[in-house]
Amino acid sequence: MAIFAAILTNQNKLQDSKKRKACLTQLGIMKQIAVIGAGTMGNGIAHVFAMKGYSVALTDVSEKALEKAIATIGKNLDRMIAKEKISEADKTDTLNRIKTFTKIAEGVEGVDLVVEAATENIDLKLRIFEEIDEHAPANAILASNTSSISITRIAAVTKRPDKVIGMHFMNPVPVMKLVEVIRGYSTTDEVTNLVMETSRNLGKIPVEANDYPGFVSNRILIPMINEAIYTLHEGVAGVEAIDTVMKLGMAHPMGPLQLADFIGLDVCLAICRVLYDGFGNPKYAPCPLLVNMVTAGKLGRKSGEGFYTYTPGSKEIKVSASFQ
């Protein structure tokens, strides 16, 4: 029995090795990448692909957003130079690999992989995927960086649901190692394996998940954040007290309220609603305080105020006057 088990183990290892070699063969072809959306996630995704030698077409409807994205990538590369992780030549090569476009049809021409990183809005994403599908090469893989929206639903508006997949990077993309790879209902094994291997080629650690609301990361994280907001809303404790308990008691590097500010309260609310609509379970209902803050434009770091206040150019944060 032990000999038989050893033979099976060796056969499985050989099959896995063949799969990885096949993926690496395809990976040599997958050198043209399109990134749709030049915001925080989009410019980070463009950064990591370009750093690893891929040619990147970064597309956004806003020329200003594209200029800001390239400037941000440049600053992040400068930090890496200061830490002696890369050279000036590496920076120049990375930036030269990124081209910018304002039209999807131009940005996806001739690419092997498209990674959509637009705002977390289902209607917007569906429109974008319809357009990508129309103009991208027939063999191109279409990935979404969505943090919660159904990959199966996105795939349904395309003519290639077997080639649609989730590729959920974490923020900040150049630093965070995880990529959550989400299989839609029709996503093939070949596409999944190739995206997993591509993620590894970026120096990331991919984790495969099936397509259910919130996937793994946000199905766990967002309810915790929402519960922290309820804890504040119900007067159990203040902002700093809640975050301190989670940092010192649970060894979290950042408290849930500060993390919500970092993610963006509008994004947290959108994911809460995806979970609530997807499961129909009242435990996922967004806290009224979260809804009110988003309505009032208090979105966290991006707006300058959420549970804390943020001063441009300063790392100092203070609890918002609304919660003192």
Side-chain angles (χ1 to χ4, degrees):
M1 290 294 290
I3 294 172
F4 182 64
I7 291 171
L8 281 177
T9 299
N10 287 334
Q11 286 178 338
N12 289 336
K13 285 181 178 178
L14 183 61
Q15 288 175 352
D16 288 343
S17 176
K18 286 180 178 178
K19 282 182 182 179
R20 287 181 69 108
K21 285 180 180 177
C23 283
L24 285 169
T25 300
Q26 286 181 278
L27 190 60
I29 301 169
M30 276 187 60
K31 284 296 181 182
Q32 305 291 328
I33 311 297
V35 179
I36 311 299
T40 301
M41 297 305 293
N43 74 58
I45 294 167
H47 174 151
V48 296
F49 271 107
M51 277 279 295
K52 290 298 181 177
Y54 293 87
S55 295
V56 179
L58 180 59
T59 304
D60 197 291
V61 293
S62 168
E63 188 68 50
K64 185 176 180 181
L66 290 167
E67 291 172 1
K68 182 179 178 182
I70 296 299
T72 298
I73 294 169
K75 288 177 183 177
N76 289 336
L77 291 169
D78 285 338
R79 291 192 188 97
M80 296 180 76
I81 292 171
K83 294 177 181 178
E84 298 184 345
K85 291 184 176 181
I86 64 171
S87 67
E88 285 284 355
D90 293 328
K91 174 187 174 181
T92 300
D93 290 342
T94 298
L95 291 174
N96 285 341
R97 293 187 191 107
I98 304 173
K99 307 300 180 187
T100 60
F101 299 87
T102 55
K103 294 181 180 178
I104 288 176
E106 296 175 358
V108 301
E109 184 178 352
V111 302
D112 306 302
L113 170 67
V114 181
V115 183
E116 170 273 319
T119 303
E120 195 75 352
N121 176 289
I122 181 62
D123 294 329
L124 175 63
K125 287 186 184 292
L126 295 183
R127 289 198 301 273
I128 288 173
F129 267 84
E130 286 177 341
E131 189 171 354
I132 293 170
D133 186 49
E134 180 181 351
H135 296 287
N139 64 340
I141 295 171
L142 311 186
S144 176
N145 183 58
T146 180
S147 57
S148 62
I149 295 169
S150 169
I151 298 302
T152 303
R153 186 174 178 187
I154 291 172
V157 303
T158 76
K159 297 180 180 67
R160 61 183 97 186
D162 57 319
K163 293 183 176 67
V164 178
I165 195 166
M167 203 173 182
H168 180 206
F169 291 83
M170 304 293 138
N171 186 27
V173 180
V175 176
M176 300 294 278
K177 286 290 188 181
L178 178 66
V179 176
E180 199 173 22
V181 177
I182 304 99
R183 297 179 65 125
Y185 187 84
S186 300
T187 310
T188 65
D189 289 343
E190 291 77 13
V191 166
T192 303
N193 291 336
L194 182 53
V195 169
M196 294 283 283
E197 201 61 45
T198 300
S199 300
R200 294 186 188 101
N201 196 54
L202 296 176
K204 304 298 185 185
I205 300 173
V207 174
E208 185 180 333
N210 289 317
D211 186 25
Y212 291 96
F215 318 132
V216 175
S217 56
N218 282 324
R219 184 171 178 174
I220 296 169
L221 175 64
I222 296 301
M224 182 196 73
I225 288 174
N226 195 43
E227 195 60 34
I229 299 171
Y230 265 114
T231 303
L232 175 65
H233 180 57
E234 293 171 359
V236 177
V239 171
E240 284 187 305
I242 292 167
D243 278 354
T244 299
V245 166
M246 297 306 290
K247 286 189 289 185
L248 299 186
M250 313 302 166
H252 290 198
M254 185 182 293
L257 299 178
Q258 186 182 354
L259 179 57
D261 276 357
F262 184 76
I263 294 170
L265 301 191
D266 53 337
V267 176
C268 292
L269 177 58
I271 298 171
C272 273
R273 286 175 168 158
V274 167
L275 293 172
Y276 183 61
D277 293 343
F279 292 114
N281 190 324
K283 76 177 184 178
Y284 296 113
C287 178
L289 175 58
L290 175 59
V291 175
N292 284 346
M293 291 178 71
V294 172
T295 302
K298 308 298 184 183
L299 308 181
R301 178 175 295 217
K302 68 174 81 174
S303 68
E305 183 180 354
F307 296 105
Y308 296 87
T309 57
Y310 302 86
T311 303
S314 173
K315 293 184 178 181
E316 184 181 3
I317 61 172
K318 296 180 181 179
V319 174
S320 168
S322 300
F323 302 111
Q324 291 182 3

